[in-house]
Amino acid sequence: MIQKKVLSSSDESSEDEHVEELQDKQKLIQAKANKPTRTSVSAEVYGQFNKKGQYQAKKVNKSEDAVKRIKQRMSQAFMFSALDEHELAIVIDAMEEKKFKAGDFVIKQGDDGDVLYVVDQGQLDCFKVFKKGEPEKHLKVYQPGESFGELALLYNVPRAATIKAKTDAICFSLDRETFNHIVKDAAAKKREKYEEFLSKVELLKDMDPYERLQIADALKVQKFNKKDYIIRQGEQGNTFYFIQKGDCIATKTENGTEKEVYSYKVGDYFGELALIKHEPRAANIVAQSEVIVVYLDSDSFRRLIGPVDEILKRNMSRYEKYVKK
């Protein structure tokens, strides 16, 4: 039986105070140093000293093999999914190959950041200290095709986590200016749009905002017509959905009869239990109008934020009520 998720008023409030706190701290530090303060996401892009018209495209000489590898990795990195061919060419020209030995620190939490990285080869560990004085926690392992370091560029805050090479690694770096001019607007708009969804999902609401932003990058959009089956009872579940537009119902087929058991509206989500329990779908989800959903596949879910079991350990009380029969 599909159970309804009831969000309290406190659940509906934004959980992204971490980013805002970092921005406030940054402003205080700069004010004390009598330095100009960076403000909003768009201010740096369109400010007096960083206008788009003043941008000079950067070109770093590289081999044809390097260009080919960059194209492959960019096609895997969600950060660049909204760019057109011309924009992609500019970004590829600006990228620079960086090599790291196992044990090297690529970025450190709290440092200023002026580049982002796309992993080409090797693995890199991500660590974060959530509260001062506490030991750092291991969040995930970055694999080829993934990107990191963009949060400091998007929101003009110190590095939110530490990245350390787990093996020998090769990354492609992208400078702040090219990122601001070409990538930032599309990335920020997508994140702002979908991160709000994720902050209200009970299963994910205790997750660090940095992790949720990574998931926002991975969300994809799909449209369905009235009476289309979005998922079918008994199928293997590997996708987590949010309704962006329209209405759906859940039905269960028992003894050859299909009965409605639940309804969904804009902002609701479904498909999470199959991801958590690794079981076939418990019901059908049928579109009752033209429906637009955003979704996250299970592979991206686990690859971006680590095994689901790790999240469940941090949300065990919520997990227990999800899986009760």
Side-chain angles (χ1 to χ4, degrees), residues 2 15 17-18 25 31-32 44 52 68 105 107 119 128 134 153 173 203 206 229 237 241 257 289 303 309-310:
I2 295 181
E15 295 289 325
E17 295 176 358
H18 173 69
K25 288 180 179 179
K32 289 179 181 180
E44 186 174 7
K52 282 196 170 184
K68 189 175 182 180
F105 286 94
I107 61 177
V119 184
K128 183 175 178 65
E134 291 185 354
L153 277 61
S173 67
L203 176 64
D206 287 341
Y229 279 71
Y241 296 92
T257 303
S289 63
R303 183 165 62 91
D309 290 345
E310 290 301 314

Side-chain angles (χ1 to χ4, degrees), residues 36-152:
T37 303
R38 290 175 177 163
T39 55
S40 67
V41 171
S42 60
E44 186 174 7
V45 179
Y46 299 114
Q48 180 180 356
F49 301 105
N50 198 23
K51 293 180 180 178
K52 282 196 170 184
Q54 297 174 338
Y55 172 73
Q56 295 294 320
K58 176 182 178 182
K59 186 164 186 176
V60 177
N61 291 330
K62 53 183 71 72
S63 66
E64 290 184 9
D65 176 67
V67 171
K68 189 175 182 180
R69 285 156 46 213
I70 292 173
K71 287 181 178 178
Q72 179 187 1
R73 296 313 181 194
M74 286 181 67
S75 69
Q76 298 172 288
F78 303 114
M79 177 64 62
F80 308 105
S81 60
L83 302 184
D84 61 30
E85 290 186 10
H86 176 67
E87 292 168 331
L88 284 171
I90 294 174
V91 172
I92 290 169
D93 281 345
M95 282 191 160
E96 187 172 356
E97 185 176 282
K98 302 287 186 181
K99 296 183 179 180
F100 301 96
K101 295 291 186 182
D104 285 352
F105 286 94
V106 181
I107 61 177
K108 293 185 178 181
Q109 183 175 347
D111 286 352
D112 290 333
D114 58 3
V115 298
L116 68 81
Y117 296 90
V118 178
V119 184
D120 179 45
Q121 297 177 27
Q123 297 179 321
L124 301 100
D125 285 314
C126 177
F127 301 94
K128 183 175 178 65
V129 176
F130 286 89
K131 290 185 180 179
K132 188 175 181 180
E134 291 185 354
E136 63 183 10
K137 294 183 179 180
H138 183 265
L139 297 183
K140 63 167 291 175
V141 178
Y142 280 98
Q143 306 284 354
E146 295 186 272
S147 60
F148 61 86
E150 73 287 342
L151 192 66

